[in-house]
Amino acid sequence: MGYSSLKMGADVYQAPRGTVDILPAEQAYWRYIEQKAAQTCQLYGYERIDTPVFENMNLFSRSIGERTDIVEKEMYSFEDKGGNRITLRPEGTAPVCRAYIENGMHNQPQPVKLYYSASIFRYERPQAGRYRQHHQFGYEVIGDNDPALDAEVIDMAWRFFESLGLRRLKLLLNSIGCRKCRPDYLASLRQYYIGHRDELCPECGVRLEKNTLRLLDCKKPLCQQFAASAPRSADCLCPDCAEHFNLLRKYLQQLELPFSVNHCLVRGLDYYTRTVFEIQPQTGGAQSTIGGGGRYDDLIEGLGGKPTPALGFATGIERIILNLKKQQVAIPPIPTPEVFIAQAGDKVKNEAVKLASSLRGAGIGVLQASSSKSLKAQLRQANNFSAHYVIIIGEEEIETGTVILRNMTTAEQETIALTKLQNRLQCPP
Ligand code: HAM
């Protein structure tokens, strides 16, 4: 596309609000996190899955919940040319469950452990660490209700952040029961809040009618005071859920994970049952949550599959980077080509092009002086690229089958036979 087609009248195009370009200077963070994520997944036995960027809208409204902020306000939905209601993925769990059902993964040995790294779209109000397009690394374990797996999922999230070098995090845990015990709990929660109806903020007034559990999640100071004294889900669990939660806490203690039970932790998606958890920086609160997850034992059945317990976790890569920067964690740079080829005069350009290609063919990264700059300017260019070696080719060298090899760190220079160059670069003395 020509430059003129990027402009319309006096408008200069900008990335849409809430989106950013991930520029080369940022890529070391992304690569670092993706490599650590893949390593962690291998350690815990997860396989990668990639699902489409968009799905049928119903998948999300049915799974996340019609009365959640995500479905009510934040989905990027549109009708395609075939009249299908389509939504850009606002989270990763429902698509993975859809893929599990559609691809008959219940026939595989259970549990099935899957991970993804994907772009996510939510029409939110942009601010630091909150975007309209962000990226999540997430993983799901499908087909087992053992609380030891809940502990493993939480352990994996914690160890992943540790492996990145993140410190000063807190782990919040809660159990919100199952479809057997939740209705009674919700009734008592509602009863409690009806007593405070007139003092609640306007949004909580609506939540009281539409999504009672989310009352516990309000960030307004007065509503938080009510939440602190509200009935607690963990006190209203049926015997099976209570046993599950007890065992989970025991496993977490054994793993020496520093969790604290937070009775107001309910998460923003409706599919959760029993375990919910979040990992947050020690300072910052719920708005800065780095990752969260939990169990969703009814979701696969709700999407038309067989009853299948499952759980998972996801973390926002942009939020991880924010915290890595805040904590000044050193990130390994992405290696750049070590060798720069400079040519003394345009006549030898042909040889320089050939040499660059043959060295790259041998697996040696090479940058080549691109224009007919003076040799001095080419050496400056090599310096700017932080090249470790500069190969200088001139007419005399071509005649004698040699090149000049300059070590940019020591400034030492030697003449070396072309036939020995490759070996010399691969095995320096
Ligand atoms: P979530 O808490 O909605 O959970 O999102 C997971 C993480 O994505 C958050 O903790 C946060 O780090 C990041 N995140 C969310 N929204 C934004 C945003 N607008 N900008 C930047 N980062 C954001 C889920 O999505 C569940 N699917 C997690 C899960 C997996 N539960 C079970 N399995």
Side-chain angles (χ1 to χ4, degrees):
M1 194 193 305
Y3 175 64
S4 56
S5 54
L6 281 171
K7 287 182 91 182
M8 274 171 51
D11 291 341
V12 177
Y13 285 111
Q14 293 184 330
R17 190 164 139 74
T19 71
V20 288
D21 300 310
I22 305 168
L23 298 173
E26 289 288 294
Q27 293 291 344
Y29 283 97
W30 288 79
R31 181 146 127 175
Y32 175 65
I33 294 165
E34 269 160 23
Q35 283 177 347
K36 293 278 184 201
Q39 275 166 13
T40 307
C41 287
Q42 202 181 336
L43 278 178
Y44 286 77
Y46 284 76
E47 292 178 302
R48 182 167 176 132
I49 184 165
D50 289 287
T51 61
V53 169
F54 58 85
E55 300 267 357
N56 288 321
M57 188 179 78
N58 286 348
L59 174 70
F60 297 114
S61 42
R62 275 179 70 176
S63 54
I64 299 170
E66 297 279 3
R67 290 172 170 183
T68 56
D69 281 354
I70 296 182
V71 171
E72 278 193 338
K73 303 183 203 155
E74 296 171 3
M75 294 209 305
Y76 280 88
S77 297
F78 59 96
E79 200 175 289
D80 71 10
K81 292 193 192 329
N84 307 297
R85 296 290 293 158
I86 295 294
T87 297
L88 299 185
R89 171 176 54 205
E91 65 105 41
T93 306
V96 169
C97 291
R98 196 258 317 126
Y100 174 93
I101 301 167
E102 187 175 338
N103 295 287
M105 290 192 212
H106 59 274
N107 294 318
Q108 296 176 10
Q110 305 292 299
V112 173
K113 295 170 126 185
L114 301 167
Y115 82 94
Y116 48 89
S117 177
S119 46
I120 303 286
F121 305 87
R122 294 183 187 175
Y123 188 81
E124 294 199 79
R125 190 185 305 195
Q127 50 182 269
R130 180 177 299 161
Y131 301 93
R132 290 185 175 168
Q133 179 186 357
H134 72 277
H135 298 78
Q136 287 186 6
F137 157 52
Y139 51 90
E140 317 291 340
V141 194
I142 306 177
D144 201 323
N145 61 14
D146 186 345
L149 268 182
D150 300 46
E152 188 189 284
V153 162
I154 296 172
D155 178 65
M156 175 163 159
W158 191 260
R159 305 288 170 222
F160 169 61
F161 290 138
E162 264 184 357
S163 78
L164 290 170
L166 284 177
R167 299 288 177 264
R168 301 187 291 282
L169 301 178
K170 59 184 176 190
L171 168 57
L172 308 178
L173 180 71
N174 197 11
S175 174
I176 54 170
C178 66
R179 58 184 158 191
K180 270 193 294 183
C181 50
R182 177 108 47 92
D184 283 350
Y185 170 63
L186 289 182
S188 64
L189 191 62
R190 196 173 139 71
Q191 206 53 44
Y192 164 83
Y193 272 104
I194 283 175
H196 297 288
R197 178 175 261 156
D198 297 340
E199 299 150 277
L200 297 174
C201 75
E203 291 91 58
C204 281
V206 178
R207 287 183 189 123
L208 183 56
E209 300 311 323
K210 292 203 323 194
N211 197 340
T212 321
L213 209 51
R214 297 282 297 164
L215 283 159
L216 296 170
D217 204 24
C218 183
K219 306 291 175 295
K220 306 254 166 40
L222 185 60
C223 297
Q224 284 196 340
Q225 276 179 33
F226 293 131
S229 317
R232 300 172 161 200
S233 57
D235 296 337
C236 306
L237 300 176
C238 62
D240 286 349
C241 288
E243 166 78 350
H244 193 275
F245 196 38
N246 281 340
L247 282 170
L248 168 59
R249 281 178 292 182
K250 219 191 262 170
Y251 292 132
L252 292 178
Q253 275 155 4
Q254 255 160 27
L255 294 171
E256 296 183 5
L257 290 176
F259 70 93
S260 58
V261 174
N262 183 317
H263 298 282
C264 296
L265 181 66
V266 292
R267 311 268 304 130
L269 306 101
D270 279 356
Y271 50 59
Y272 291 109
T273 51
R274 294 188 168 172
T275 311
V276 287
F277 71 100
E278 283 188 358
I279 296 176
Q280 300 173 0
Q282 270 172 14
T283 51
Q287 302 286 359
S288 56
T289 295
I290 308 185
R295 211 165 242 293
Y296 46 90
D297 288 342
D298 300 331
L299 178 56
I300 293 198
E301 188 183 4
L303 293 176
K306 296 190 172 131
T308 310
L311 78 155
F313 169 80
T315 169
I317 296 179
E318 288 83 354
R319 295 225 182 143
I320 295 178
I321 294 175
L322 198 74
N323 283 279
L324 287 171
K325 287 181 178 171
K326 264 192 199 159
Q327 297 190 12
Q328 300 183 331
V329 177
I331 304 298
I334 296 177
T336 49
E338 289 220 314
V339 176
F340 186 94
I341 299 183
Q343 73 250 351
D346 271 352
K347 286 193 190 141
V348 296
K349 179 117 188 177
N350 224 3
E351 292 303 318
V353 168
K354 254 172 41 195
L355 179 60
S357 176
S358 87
L359 289 177
R360 287 174 189 139
I364 299 169
V366 177
L367 283 172
Q368 209 190 328
S370 46
S371 58
S372 46
K373 289 185 174 152
S374 70
L375 192 55
K376 205 169 154 198
Q378 290 180 50
L379 291 179
R380 241 194 337 262
Q381 207 183 355
N383 232 344
N384 290 341
F385 285 123
S386 311
H388 190 53
Y389 289 108
V390 175
I391 296 168
I392 304 168
I393 310 186
E395 286 178 45
E396 197 186 315
E397 282 74 32
I398 289 175
E399 271 165 29
T400 53
T402 59
V403 293
I404 296 169
L405 183 64
R406 183 183 170 90
N407 183 323
M408 294 298 275
T409 321
T410 61
E412 280 167 14
Q413 204 163 289
E414 62 184 299
T415 300
I416 181 169
L418 252 178
T419 48
K420 294 194 175 147
L421 180 64
Q422 185 181 316
N423 193 38
R424 177 74 170 64
L425 291 170
Q426 281 168 331
C427 320

